[in-house]
Amino acid sequence: MTDARPTRRTFLKLTAAAGAAAGAVVVSGSGAAQTATDPARAGDLLLYQDGPSKGKPVKTADLKVGVAVWALAVDPKTKKPRDATKGGVVLVKLASGKVQASSQPNAAGDVVAYSSICTHQGCPTKEIGTLGMGKGHIICTCHGSIFDAGDNATVLGGPAPKRLPALPIKVDATGQVVAKAGFTGKVGPK
Ligand code: FES
């Protein structure tokens, strides 16, 4: 498995590169109102954010249990990040049976996806499993917030005031992970 972990330097570069999109309202295929600044939408491709596989699609066959990968939600038409600042996604393949009922509607089998932007002060979440391999914890190393990947990113510890928004995902015919809808909540801190 390649290490697709975003470095802080990369994150800052991505942040600096982010454009300020206009706030025009559009309507998705499901009829839900979306704005031009939504960091992810239904149908978006998930492409590796960093590492040797940068820019390549995330495929479920390449994921290993308990190893997180980081991706960006990319507009399938323009092939550009929907929002390089807030469109970061952390994906985790959990052990069989570890995806709880709270996460199942948004998961693709054993694979779950969440915003990778911490809800405390907006750092990129970076680690998983450092409190015990296989526990499925997403950890923000900035101030130590811990989220339960199998339970809808519930906050297990640290200063984060709320869970990470989930990104509902599905797997297309080629095995590639794509967004089934936008994030389930506001990305980042309040
Ligand atoms: S920004 Fe993540 S714990 Fe503070």
Side-chain angles (χ1 to χ4, degrees), residues 52-70:
S53 297
K54 181 178 179 180
K56 294 180 180 176
V58 176
K59 295 191 172 187
T60 51
D62 297 331
L63 300 178
K64 292 184 177 178
V65 172
V67 179
V69 301
W70 282 263

Side-chain angles (χ1 to χ4, degrees), residues 3 25 45 48 59 64 85 87 89 94 102 109-110 114 116 118 123-124 148 155 159 165 173 187 189:
D3 184 358
V25 175
L45 310 173
Y48 283 97
K59 295 191 172 187
K64 292 184 177 178
T85 304
V89 180
L94 296 169
S102 59
D110 295 324
Y114 301 98
S116 63
C118 186
C123 283
D148 189 337
V155 179
V187 168

Side-chain angles (χ1 to χ4, degrees), residues 5-7 10 15 22 26 30-31 65-66 68 81 98-99 109 116 133 138 156 180:
R5 178 176 308 177
T7 63
T10 301
T15 301
V26 297
S30 64
V65 172
K98 294 294 184 183
V99 178
S116 63
M133 284 302 295
I138 298 169
L156 295 175
K180 202 165 62 174

Side-chain angles (χ1 to χ4, degrees), residues 131-152:
L131 295 184
M133 284 302 295
K135 284 192 174 181
H137 294 167
I138 298 169
I139 298 175
C140 177
T141 52
C142 282
H143 310 98
S145 289
I146 306 169
F147 306 90
D148 189 337
D151 188 13
N152 206 19

